[in-house]
Every structure is written in structure tokens, then in C-alpha cells.
Amino acid sequence: MMVRRRAFPLLIASALAFMVYVILTLPRSQPGNHQDHQDHQDHQHLYPHHISDQSITPVNDTKHFMVGAYKEHRLEGSSIRIISIFRRDSVQPLYCVFYCGTHWANGMKAEVQMHSDHFGFRFVTTDVLCPNVPGCNPSHVTLATQADTGLAQNQTFLRIQNRVKREEEKFQFNFTVCWSNLFGDYNNVLQVTQTLEMYKLLGVQHVVVYNTSCGSDLDRLLQSYTQDGFVEVVPWPIGKYMNPSRGWQPSEHGGDIHYYGQLTTLNDCVYRQMYQSRYVLLNDIDEIIAPYQHQTLPQMMDVLQRQDPKAEVFLIENHIFPKSHFEPSGRFELPRWRNVPGINIMAHIYREEPDYRISHPSKMIVRPRAVEQTSVHSVLRNFGQTVKVPPNVCHIIHVRVPLRGGLTKEELHEDKRVWDYERQLVPNVDKALEQAGLLIEGRKE
């Protein structure tokens, strides 16, 4: 009994010594902790109280809105670029307020650059450039009407993206498509499915769409593609803050901003993908940028880059395939697709010849790190060269209402490029529609 009583205190002492050893030898920070999270733990009394999780964030005491904040690695003297929407008749001095991870930086006067393309609407896509602040590697930023950092700390901040400048070999994607904007009751499910599956076959790994609203069937389809990681849907509630226009002329279409803020979303998408994707395709949801001398986009771009090593922006000619003219055999009028809403692009093989006597718009493939500001059909500011890709090398397959409505079928060109991918395209479309619950089972031939 005496031996047991003496051993018990020794066991307790040994256990206490082991616990002290473990505590002293544990690492101070566990691997994998995100820096922002660690800063939050260490400096809770300083961390921004309000951080936006929205794609549109009002700037307090102004008529302006912030969309996305991005580390600017390319311009000397500037540290952050905030993609914004400004009311053109209400510009005032603004100040950038930074949270630097461990402390606040004094408000620095911002440089406001309104884009040249606004088409006469009240609101315009705007870049706000924030200057470098010595001793600050900011993680969050906001815009304020006063330079007083203390007053600004309670405002809503944006998380700064692109803080790490990655090299191309470390990018997640090789090709990304940016679609903007989805609005109204757009429910063109079959054409969108065919377009997405065509892009997969052409070598695209990622599609981003800014969505204000769409039909229930298309919403279901996009959710299905989001689940498998191919599509990224960015909510775009522009109607909550202004009256968006459905067109590009205020005198004809009314509203406060061009096409639901299309120019803003295109610019934001370029910056979102700047260090994620080697190339970005800027085109509409009913268009396919298709190579005609190569099987895939990577093969085509390798050739084009060898031909023009300094080229950073590639203009792709738009070619319209009128949806009013049908391929006569009905080869791809498949019974199982009849109840799927939307246009069957495989049934439209007749292409208009562009009227080169008038301005003929293009869409683009860009290296996003070379783009500073973009419009719909051309870049506004860029750091590299721009080349026009010959239409026999690549052009857009755009199935829609005719532009030159007076042309007969005999005056159109037969173009069956999509049929070249038939063997994989048709079953892939079936599978995508089935996964989304939009193809009735048992209807396959």
C-alpha cells in the first residue's frame, strides 16, 4: 500500500512535465492557415467590421459602386485597382483606405479613370487606382469621401484579389470564357448546352457568366455545370441599384447603364482571371469562337503566338448563322431534343457573308495580363500588340436573327464546322441535359 502511495505523486509529476513539453514544442502557427484568418485572430480589434460578399457594393455618401479590388502588379506607383461603376455627373474626390494585415493605412487620394465607352448613359465603368503605401501589404480596401481613416474603418471593405502574381505555368486554366450578361427571361437551354459542350471539345476548361436573371430551365442547367466545376456563376443584381438598359443606346432603350453593366462585368472578369487563366475569350452566350484550321483552341493559339510573339489581343470576326434558315435533311432535329427550350445550332449551317463596306464587329481572345481596360469589341488600353485573326483561321459561329435579312439561302455560305465534332458533341449534350434533369428519359432513338 505504501509503495502505491509513493508512486501516485510521481505519475502526476511525470504527466505534468509531459504536458509542459508538448505545449512548449508545438508550432506557433499551424501549416495551411490562411494569412487573412491569422491576421483576424491576432488583430481582431483592428480587422474590418464589414467585408462585402456581394458583386456590387455601394460607396458610402456617393452615387458610385465598387465591384472588385485587385492587386495591380503592372503599373509603377499603383498598388490596387478597384473596378467600379460611377455616376458620371457626380464625381468627387475619393480616398483609398487600406487594412494592412496588422494596421490601418491613412487615406490616400485615389485616381479615378472613367472608361471612354459609356454610350451616353449616366453610369460608366470606372477604374479607381490606389497609390502604393510604404510599409503596407493590404488585404482589404474601401473608398471613402474623407481621408480620415478612423471614420472609414466602419465602412464596407472589399477583399483584395490577385495578391499573388503567379507565372503562367502555375495557372489553374489554359482557356476561360467570359460571358456577360445574362438577364431577362433568357431560357435558350439547348443552344447554351451545345455551346458549352463545344467549348469543352475545343479545349476550354472554365466558363464565367454574370447572371442577373434567366429562365428556370437555364438556371437549372447552369447549376448542374456549376456543380461539376466547369461553369462559375457570378450573381449580378444590377437592378437593385439602378435601372439597367436592355440595349446600347439611351435614346432608344432608356435606362442608366449599357446592357445591364456589360462593360463592367467584362472588365471584372478579365481581372478575376488575370492570374488564373492563360487566355480569356470575351464573347456572348450565343457565340462560339471556333478554329477552322485546327482541332482545338490551344493548337490554334500556339501557331498564332509563334507567328506574332508580341501579340496579346486577338480579334475574331463575327459571322452570323441566321436561325431562320434550316439544314434541309433534318439530320440533327432529334426527337429527344424537341422539348428542350432553345435553338438547335446544329440545324443552322448557312452563314452570312459579312458586309465589309460597313463596320464589322469582332470579339476577342486576350492574354488578360496585357489588358488594362476593355470594351466589347476591342480593348481600350493594353500593354501588347493587337492582331486580327483571318476568318479562314478562326471566326465566330453566331446563330441568331439575321443581320442581312434580305439574303436568300442561295446567297448564304454553307458552313458545317460544328458537324465536325458530331460524334462527341451529340452524346455529350445528351449527358449534360440528363444530368440537369432536362432530357426526358426513354426518348433516345
Side-chain angles (χ1 to χ4, degrees), residues 337-348:
W337 290 351
R338 286 175 185 165
N339 292 326
V340 179
I343 297 170
N344 180 1
I345 66 172
M346 301 186 77
H348 303 284

Side-chain angles (χ1 to χ4, degrees), residues 221-403:
L221 179 76
L222 293 176
Q223 287 184 30
S224 178
Y225 275 108
T226 300
Q227 289 171 4
D228 69 16
F230 183 60
V231 170
E232 176 186 355
V233 177
V234 179
W236 186 249
I238 188 74
K240 181 179 177 181
Y241 303 103
M242 63 189 74
N243 175 27
S245 177
R246 299 179 68 94
W248 66 277
Q249 287 183 307
S251 60
E252 181 179 345
H253 305 102
D256 294 321
I257 192 168
H258 163 271
Y259 269 131
Y260 283 73
Q262 179 187 34
L263 294 173
T264 306
T265 57
L266 285 175
N267 280 272
D268 185 65
C269 196
V270 166
Y271 279 86
R272 276 176 179 255
Q273 303 307 316
M274 192 159 285
Y275 299 101
Q276 290 193 66
S277 189
R278 185 182 181 194
Y279 293 104
V280 168
L281 285 68
L282 301 174
N283 63 281
D284 290 342
I285 198 167
D286 58 353
E287 300 169 341
I288 301 171
I289 294 179
Y292 274 69
Q293 294 183 3
H294 307 86
Q295 187 69 11
T296 67
L297 288 167
Q299 292 169 353
M300 181 187 79
M301 292 309 300
D302 285 346
V303 172
L304 293 179
Q305 290 282 198
R306 285 199 300 270
Q307 293 173 351
D308 291 286
K310 295 183 179 179
E312 306 283 2
V313 177
F314 301 83
L315 302 179
I316 312 298
E317 204 170 84
N318 186 24
H319 285 222
I320 292 171
F321 293 62
K323 66 177 185 178
S324 53
H325 292 289
F326 291 80
E327 187 272 324
S329 74
R331 176 178 172 182
F332 293 104
E333 295 289 349
L334 307 180
R336 60 184 180 273
W337 290 351
R338 286 175 185 165
N339 292 326
V340 179
I343 297 170
N344 180 1
I345 66 172
M346 301 186 77
H348 303 284
I349 62 169
Y350 300 104
R351 173 172 53 84
E352 291 183 8
E353 180 68 17
D355 187 351
Y356 293 104
R357 296 171 299 178
I358 60 176
S359 176
H360 189 65
S362 299
K363 295 298 174 67
M364 294 176 283
I365 301 175
V366 303
R367 295 169 69 98
R369 292 150 311 287
V371 176
E372 190 175 353
Q373 296 179 359
T374 188
S375 187
V376 178
H377 305 296
S378 62
V379 293
L380 301 177
R381 293 184 181 180
N382 64 296
F383 298 101
Q385 295 180 0
T386 298
V387 299
K388 184 174 182 180
V389 179
N392 66 322
V393 174
C394 179
H395 65 247
I396 294 173
I397 298 172
H398 190 184
V399 180
R400 47 152 283 176
V401 296
L403 183 63

